[in-house]
């Protein structure tokens, strides 16, 4: 699994550094799942940000303008609509095998965490390109996926055009 230190080395020092678990506990209770530790660690470090002017990550703290829990609720509603459900290989939701929307991109992709089939199974990342429509399941953790994205590797979200010099982020206001 990729580490926050590896991500920080490419992306830069985070400025959010959230330590209160309350927003995660509340959001996880609402959805009935516990998000993977690596995803939580990254989001707690960076907060709600836009990476490379392309990828949006949000934090669950309710006082933020861009709140992960609210975004997930809206995205779940969107992807449960009949005409949108066909874009995904599994239903959107929090049950085993379902897809939890956790990030989006200005280039038309949505990033999902695939809820494990069992407690001992790993979380995986699925990226759906809604303009194609196509999707790719990446057999990797969120941190490994994000690290590959930051390195400019092919993880379905093209980063080369948006960060030709090096990856960067801006807090969402």
């Amino acid at each position: 699994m990729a580490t926050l230190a590896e991500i920080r080395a490419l992306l830069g020092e985070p400025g959010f550094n959230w330590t209160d678990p309350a927003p995660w506990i509340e959001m996880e209770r609402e959805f009935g799942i516990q998000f993977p530790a690596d995803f939580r660690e990254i989001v707690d470090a960076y907060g709600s940000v836009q990476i490379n002017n392309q990828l949006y990550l949000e934090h669950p703290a309710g006082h933020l303008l861009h709140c992960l829990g609210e975004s997930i609720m809206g995205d779940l509603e969107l992807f449960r609509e009949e005409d949108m459900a066909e874009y995904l290989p599994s239903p959107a939701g929090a049950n085993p095998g379902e897809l939890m929307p956790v990030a989006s991109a200005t280039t038309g992709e949505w990033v999902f965490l695939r809820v494990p089939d069992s407690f001992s199974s790993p979380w995986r990342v699925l990226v759906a390109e809604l303009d194609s429509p196509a999707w790719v399941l990446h057999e990797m953790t969120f941190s490994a996926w994000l690290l590959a994205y930051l390195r400019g590797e092919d993880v379905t979200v093209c980063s080369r055009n948006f960060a030709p010099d090096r990856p960067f982020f801006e807090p969402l206001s």
Side-chain angles (χ1 to χ4, degrees):
M1 180 184 322
T3 66
L4 182 57
E6 291 173 293
I7 290 167
R8 188 177 21 238
L10 286 173
L11 192 54
E13 285 298 318
F16 195 68
N17 300 312
W18 188 270
T19 58
D20 180 5
W24 287 105
I25 292 168
E26 182 180 325
M27 186 177 73
E28 290 173 343
R29 189 177 306 132
E30 183 177 349
F31 293 118
I33 60 170
Q34 186 172 356
F35 286 85
D38 67 321
F39 176 72
R40 287 178 59 158
E41 181 182 38
I42 292 163
V43 172
D44 276 346
Y46 287 94
S48 294
V49 295
Q50 184 180 27
I51 299 172
N52 298 344
N53 285 331
Q54 179 185 30
L55 182 66
Y56 293 102
L57 290 181
E58 297 175 338
H59 192 274
H63 72 280
L64 298 173
L65 180 59
H66 299 276
C67 176
L68 179 61
E70 292 173 14
S71 292
I72 289 175
M73 289 299 286
D75 292 345
L76 285 174
E77 190 175 307
L78 172 72
F79 285 105
R80 288 176 175 157
E81 292 176 9
E82 187 176 331
D83 58 336
M84 292 301 290
E86 67 187 48
Y87 286 92
L88 302 175
S90 304
N95 294 315
E98 292 185 337
L99 301 169
M100 181 62 64
V102 295
S104 62
T106 59
T107 47
E109 297 92 354
W110 252 269
V111 180
F112 297 84
L113 292 174
R114 186 183 179 282
V115 180
D117 292 322
S118 69
F119 186 72
S120 62
S121 298
W123 287 80
R124 297 296 181 229
V125 176
L126 181 129
V127 179
E129 296 183 57
L130 298 186
D131 55 351
S132 299
W135 55 267
V136 176
L137 178 64
H138 298 277
E139 295 289 336
M140 56 180 64
T141 63
F142 181 80
S143 57
W145 178 87
L146 182 60
L147 186 61
Y149 167 78
L150 295 173
R151 289 177 176 157
E153 296 172 18
D154 183 9
V155 288
T156 318
V157 177
C158 178
S159 64
R160 288 283 183 215
N161 297 341
F162 295 92
D165 299 325
R166 65 170 276 133
F168 61 95
F169 73 95
E170 295 178 282
L172 294 174
S173 51

